[in-house]
Each structure stands twice: as structure tokens, then as C-alpha cells.
Amino acid sequence: MKYGIFGGTFDPIHTGHLLLVEKAMDIFSLERVFMVPTGVSYLKSGVSAAADRLEMTRRAVWELADERLVVDDVEILREGSSYTYETLEYYKESFPEDDCYLIIGEDSLRYIEKWRCSKRIFELSTILVAGRNESYHPAIGNDMGYSEASLDTLIRDLTDRLECRIEFFAFDCDVSSTEIRRSLKNGEDVSAYLTDSVKQYIDEKGLYRL
Ligand code: ATP
């Protein structure tokens, strides 16, 4: 089986995440993708409660009704900070004979070497990188080792130095959770970027208003 892992804070999950994962599954013929909301992020502060992010992810995936997609709360149930390499080790134990693909956006590739045990991540998976719209400005700055190199150069450099497997796929979707949170705080309409049930959950719980 070729399976994917798509992790994120999903705070909130948006149409960009869903389009991205659908495209990755189609292009790389993934039979299953596990959507893994981060438990405790060691890279981001002020993240919403895990229970809310998990519920929004479950609702979005349920609404999408794609049998290949499964939401997994493995990182939320694990104690302490969430590390991708631990999640990959966990899947390797569960599916030792299968091929694992880690799905990330371009911004994540730009600081992946700062992730805990990144070498192990490269050993355990092939990285599928989605392009990210150039208007996106990550909250994570140069002090986090964010690479400003051209994407081609970065991929060549990582591949040469670390013998990792990285596949790029074109993706151009101008949406981010940061922008959605900002818009919600300002009372702006963000329904184009959220599924109905996620929007309803945010309204019911009054999330992102403060
Ligand atoms: P934030 O704005 O809070 O940083 P985000 O929109 O980047 O959030 P995450 O949950 O952090 O969302 O993203 C999970 C993964 O999806 C990351 O690897 C990120 O690069 C990727 N991703 C999210 N949105 C896009 C997008 N519009 N285009 C490409 N990749 C994306």
C-alpha cells in the first residue's frame, strides 16, 4: 500500500488543506492518507485547543466523504510535544511493508531540517511537497532556519546532502489558517475557505473571536 501522512495544526482546517491532500492522493496514487492534527506544537504558540482542532478536522473530512482519508488523533493522545518523526515511527510499526509519503507545503520544507530528528523523517518517508502561494508569509522567521533559497536549489541541496526522496507538485492556493483567524477576528466572511460544518462549529463555539 502507498499511504500518506498529512499533519498540521489545522487551526482551523481550510479548503487549501483539503484541495492539497486530494491533489496529492490523485497525483501519487495514494490509497490512504492519515490526517494528523498536531497535539502540542513546539514551533507555534497560541494554538487552539486540540479537541477543537480535532473536531474541525473530523467534520471537514466527513463532509468531503473521500474514503481514502482517515483522521488520526495519535499526536493528540501522545504526551508532550508532537514530533513528526515519532508519528512516522508509529506508522512504520503499523505498516512495516508499505511505502510512506509525508505530505507538506513548501513553507514546511523550508525549515524541515529544524524539525526534531529530520534525518529519520527522510529515512522513513518520501516527502511530497506542495507549492505554496507566494503571498504567504510564514510566522516562522529566519531564526528558525527558514530557507529563502529557490525551491529547486533547496530540493537539490537536501537531496544531495541527505539522500532524501522529495517530490514536488504544483499547487497554488492563496489561503492560510493565519489569515482565516485574522479575518474571523475582524468579523469578515471566510465561508469560501471553510467547509459548512467547520464554519458552523466555529460559530457555535465562538472560536477565533478574541
Ligand atoms: P498557519 O497559517 O496557522 O501557519 P497553515 O495554513 O499553514 O497554518 P497548517 O495546519 O500549519 O496550516 O498546515 C499544515 C500543512 O499544510 C503545512 O505543511 C503547510 O505548509 C500546508 N499548507 C497549508 N495551507 C497551504 C496552502 N494554501 N498551500 C500549500 N500548502 C499549505
Short mmCIF file of all heavy atoms in Angstrom, two decimals, residues 6-10 14 16-17 20 44 104-108 130-132 136 171 173 175-178 181, ligand 1:
data_model
loop_
_atom_site.label_atom_id
_atom_site.label_comp_id
_atom_site.label_asym_id
_atom_site.label_seq_id
_atom_site.Cartn_x
_atom_site.Cartn_y
_atom_site.Cartn_z
N PHE A 6 -0.58 13.42 6.44
CA PHE A 6 -0.69 14.87 6.27
C PHE A 6 -0.97 15.46 7.65
O PHE A 6 -2.07 15.37 8.17
CB PHE A 6 -1.81 15.21 5.28
CG PHE A 6 -1.93 16.68 4.98
CD1 PHE A 6 -0.81 17.49 4.87
CD2 PHE A 6 -3.18 17.26 4.78
CE1 PHE A 6 -0.91 18.85 4.59
CE2 PHE A 6 -3.31 18.62 4.50
CZ PHE A 6 -2.17 19.41 4.40
N GLY A 7 0.08 16.03 8.25
CA GLY A 7 -0.04 16.62 9.57
C GLY A 7 -0.17 18.13 9.48
O GLY A 7 0.25 18.75 8.51
N GLY A 8 -0.77 18.70 10.52
CA GLY A 8 -0.89 20.15 10.54
C GLY A 8 -1.52 20.60 11.84
O GLY A 8 -2.07 19.78 12.58
N THR A 9 -1.42 21.88 12.12
CA THR A 9 -2.13 22.37 13.31
C THR A 9 -3.63 22.43 13.01
O THR A 9 -4.45 22.30 13.90
CB THR A 9 -1.60 23.75 13.76
OG1 THR A 9 -1.02 24.43 12.67
CG2 THR A 9 -0.60 23.65 14.86
N PHE A 10 -3.96 22.64 11.74
CA PHE A 10 -5.37 22.68 11.32
C PHE A 10 -6.18 23.60 12.25
O PHE A 10 -7.18 23.19 12.84
CB PHE A 10 -5.98 21.27 11.28
CG PHE A 10 -5.25 20.32 10.35
CD1 PHE A 10 -4.98 19.01 10.71
CD2 PHE A 10 -4.82 20.75 9.10
CE1 PHE A 10 -4.29 18.14 9.85
CE2 PHE A 10 -4.12 19.89 8.24
CZ PHE A 10 -3.87 18.58 8.62
N HIS A 14 -8.73 24.25 6.48
CA HIS A 14 -9.34 25.09 5.43
C HIS A 14 -9.34 24.38 4.08
O HIS A 14 -8.79 23.27 3.94
CB HIS A 14 -8.64 26.45 5.38
CG HIS A 14 -7.14 26.41 5.25
ND1 HIS A 14 -6.51 25.90 4.14
CD2 HIS A 14 -6.15 26.83 6.09
CE1 HIS A 14 -5.19 26.02 4.29
NE2 HIS A 14 -4.94 26.56 5.47
N GLY A 16 -7.69 24.97 1.49
CA GLY A 16 -6.34 24.71 0.98
C GLY A 16 -5.85 23.34 1.41
O GLY A 16 -5.31 22.57 0.60
N HIS A 17 -6.05 22.99 2.68
CA HIS A 17 -5.63 21.68 3.17
C HIS A 17 -6.34 20.57 2.37
O HIS A 17 -5.73 19.56 2.00
CB HIS A 17 -5.98 21.51 4.64
CG HIS A 17 -5.25 22.42 5.59
ND1 HIS A 17 -5.90 23.24 6.47
CD2 HIS A 17 -3.93 22.62 5.78
CE1 HIS A 17 -5.00 23.91 7.19
NE2 HIS A 17 -3.81 23.56 6.78
N LEU A 20 -5.28 20.36 -1.29
CA LEU A 20 -3.89 19.87 -1.33
C LEU A 20 -3.84 18.35 -1.14
O LEU A 20 -3.19 17.64 -1.91
CB LEU A 20 -3.11 20.59 -0.23
CG LEU A 20 -1.59 20.42 -0.13
CD1 LEU A 20 -1.03 21.58 0.68
CD2 LEU A 20 -1.20 19.13 0.50
N LYS A 44 4.80 26.55 17.21
CA LYS A 44 3.80 27.62 17.18
C LYS A 44 3.26 27.85 18.58
O LYS A 44 3.07 26.91 19.34
CB LYS A 44 2.63 27.24 16.27
CG LYS A 44 2.98 27.20 14.80
CD LYS A 44 1.76 26.81 13.97
CE LYS A 44 2.11 26.80 12.48
NZ LYS A 44 1.00 26.30 11.66
N ILE A 104 3.58 17.75 2.74
CA ILE A 104 3.80 19.05 3.39
C ILE A 104 3.69 20.17 2.36
O ILE A 104 3.78 19.92 1.16
CB ILE A 104 5.18 19.14 4.09
CG1 ILE A 104 6.31 18.97 3.08
CG2 ILE A 104 5.31 18.14 5.22
CD1 ILE A 104 7.70 19.17 3.68
N GLY A 105 3.53 21.39 2.84
CA GLY A 105 3.57 22.55 1.95
C GLY A 105 5.00 23.06 1.86
O GLY A 105 5.86 22.73 2.69
N GLU A 106 5.23 23.86 0.83
CA GLU A 106 6.58 24.39 0.56
C GLU A 106 7.20 25.09 1.77
O GLU A 106 8.39 24.94 2.05
CB GLU A 106 6.45 25.39 -0.60
CG GLU A 106 7.71 26.02 -1.03
CD GLU A 106 7.48 26.98 -2.20
OE1 GLU A 106 6.52 26.78 -2.97
OE2 GLU A 106 8.26 27.94 -2.31
N ASP A 107 6.38 25.84 2.52
CA ASP A 107 6.92 26.56 3.69
C ASP A 107 7.49 25.58 4.72
O ASP A 107 8.51 25.86 5.35
CB ASP A 107 5.86 27.47 4.32
CG ASP A 107 4.59 26.73 4.67
OD1 ASP A 107 3.99 26.10 3.76
OD2 ASP A 107 4.18 26.76 5.83
N SER A 108 6.84 24.43 4.85
CA SER A 108 7.34 23.44 5.82
C SER A 108 8.69 22.87 5.36
O SER A 108 9.58 22.64 6.18
CB SER A 108 6.35 22.29 6.00
OG SER A 108 5.14 22.77 6.52
N ALA A 130 3.97 20.37 -1.71
CA ALA A 130 3.05 21.20 -2.50
C ALA A 130 3.58 22.62 -2.55
O ALA A 130 4.01 23.16 -1.52
CB ALA A 130 1.67 21.20 -1.83
N GLY A 131 3.55 23.23 -3.71
CA GLY A 131 3.92 24.65 -3.81
C GLY A 131 2.99 25.48 -2.94
O GLY A 131 1.86 25.09 -2.67
N ARG A 132 3.51 26.59 -2.43
CA ARG A 132 2.66 27.46 -1.62
C ARG A 132 2.63 28.84 -2.25
O ARG A 132 3.68 29.38 -2.60
CB ARG A 132 3.16 27.54 -0.18
CG ARG A 132 2.22 28.34 0.71
CD ARG A 132 1.95 27.69 2.02
NE ARG A 132 0.74 28.21 2.61
CZ ARG A 132 0.31 27.95 3.82
NH1 ARG A 132 0.99 27.14 4.59
NH2 ARG A 132 -0.81 28.45 4.27
N TYR A 136 2.06 34.06 0.71
CA TYR A 136 2.09 33.55 2.08
C TYR A 136 3.39 33.93 2.79
O TYR A 136 4.48 33.67 2.28
CB TYR A 136 1.95 32.02 2.07
CG TYR A 136 2.00 31.41 3.45
CD1 TYR A 136 0.94 31.56 4.34
CD2 TYR A 136 3.12 30.70 3.88
CE1 TYR A 136 0.99 31.01 5.61
CE2 TYR A 136 3.17 30.14 5.15
CZ TYR A 136 2.10 30.31 6.00
OH TYR A 136 2.16 29.76 7.26
N PHE A 171 1.01 23.56 -6.79
CA PHE A 171 -0.21 23.84 -6.04
C PHE A 171 -0.22 25.34 -5.78
O PHE A 171 0.80 25.90 -5.40
CB PHE A 171 -0.20 23.07 -4.70
CG PHE A 171 -1.49 23.16 -3.95
CD1 PHE A 171 -2.63 22.52 -4.42
CD2 PHE A 171 -1.58 23.89 -2.77
CE1 PHE A 171 -3.83 22.61 -3.73
CE2 PHE A 171 -2.78 23.97 -2.07
CZ PHE A 171 -3.90 23.33 -2.55
N CYS A 173 -2.73 27.93 -4.00
CA CYS A 173 -3.97 28.22 -3.32
C CYS A 173 -3.69 29.25 -2.23
O CYS A 173 -2.95 28.98 -1.29
CB CYS A 173 -4.50 26.91 -2.73
SG CYS A 173 -6.02 27.07 -1.87
N VAL A 175 -4.57 30.58 0.62
CA VAL A 175 -5.33 30.54 1.87
C VAL A 175 -4.43 30.02 2.98
O VAL A 175 -3.58 29.17 2.74
CB VAL A 175 -6.62 29.68 1.71
CG1 VAL A 175 -6.31 28.31 1.18
CG2 VAL A 175 -7.38 29.58 3.02
N SER A 176 -4.62 30.57 4.17
CA SER A 176 -3.86 30.09 5.33
C SER A 176 -4.75 30.20 6.56
O SER A 176 -5.66 31.03 6.62
CB SER A 176 -2.58 30.91 5.53
OG SER A 176 -2.92 32.20 6.01
N SER A 177 -4.43 29.38 7.55
CA SER A 177 -5.19 29.45 8.81
C SER A 177 -4.97 30.80 9.48
O SER A 177 -5.90 31.36 10.09
CB SER A 177 -4.75 28.32 9.75
OG SER A 177 -4.99 27.07 9.17
N THR A 178 -3.76 31.33 9.37
CA THR A 178 -3.46 32.63 9.99
C THR A 178 -4.41 33.70 9.45
O THR A 178 -5.00 34.48 10.21
CB THR A 178 -2.00 33.06 9.68
OG1 THR A 178 -1.13 32.04 10.12
CG2 THR A 178 -1.66 34.38 10.34
N ARG A 181 -7.99 33.15 10.69
CA ARG A 181 -8.15 33.60 12.10
C ARG A 181 -8.24 35.13 12.16
O ARG A 181 -9.06 35.69 12.87
CB ARG A 181 -6.98 33.09 12.97
CG ARG A 181 -6.95 31.59 13.16
CD ARG A 181 -5.97 31.19 14.28
NE ARG A 181 -4.61 31.61 14.03
CZ ARG A 181 -3.70 30.91 13.36
NH1 ARG A 181 -4.03 29.74 12.84
NH2 ARG A 181 -2.48 31.36 13.19
P1 ATP B 1 -0.86 28.83 9.81
O1 ATP B 1 -1.26 29.94 8.91
O2 ATP B 1 -1.51 28.86 11.17
O3 ATP B 1 0.65 28.63 9.89
P2 ATP B 1 -1.41 26.86 7.74
O4 ATP B 1 -2.47 27.45 6.88
O5 ATP B 1 -0.01 26.87 7.21
O6 ATP B 1 -1.46 27.48 9.20
P3 ATP B 1 -1.08 24.22 8.84
O7 ATP B 1 -2.12 23.43 9.57
O8 ATP B 1 0.06 24.71 9.61
O9 ATP B 1 -1.87 25.40 8.07
O10 ATP B 1 -0.59 23.41 7.57
C1 ATP B 1 -0.37 22.04 7.51
C2 ATP B 1 0.43 21.78 6.26
O11 ATP B 1 -0.29 22.23 5.10
C3 ATP B 1 1.77 22.54 6.23
O12 ATP B 1 2.76 21.66 5.71
C4 ATP B 1 1.52 23.70 5.27
O13 ATP B 1 2.69 24.05 4.58
C5 ATP B 1 0.50 23.11 4.32
N1 ATP B 1 -0.40 24.14 3.76
C6 ATP B 1 -1.42 24.75 4.39
N2 ATP B 1 -2.06 25.61 3.57
C7 ATP B 1 -1.40 25.54 2.37
C8 ATP B 1 -1.55 26.21 1.12
N3 ATP B 1 -2.51 27.12 0.92
N4 ATP B 1 -0.69 25.89 0.12
C9 ATP B 1 0.28 24.96 0.33
N5 ATP B 1 0.48 24.31 1.48
C10 ATP B 1 -0.34 24.59 2.51
#
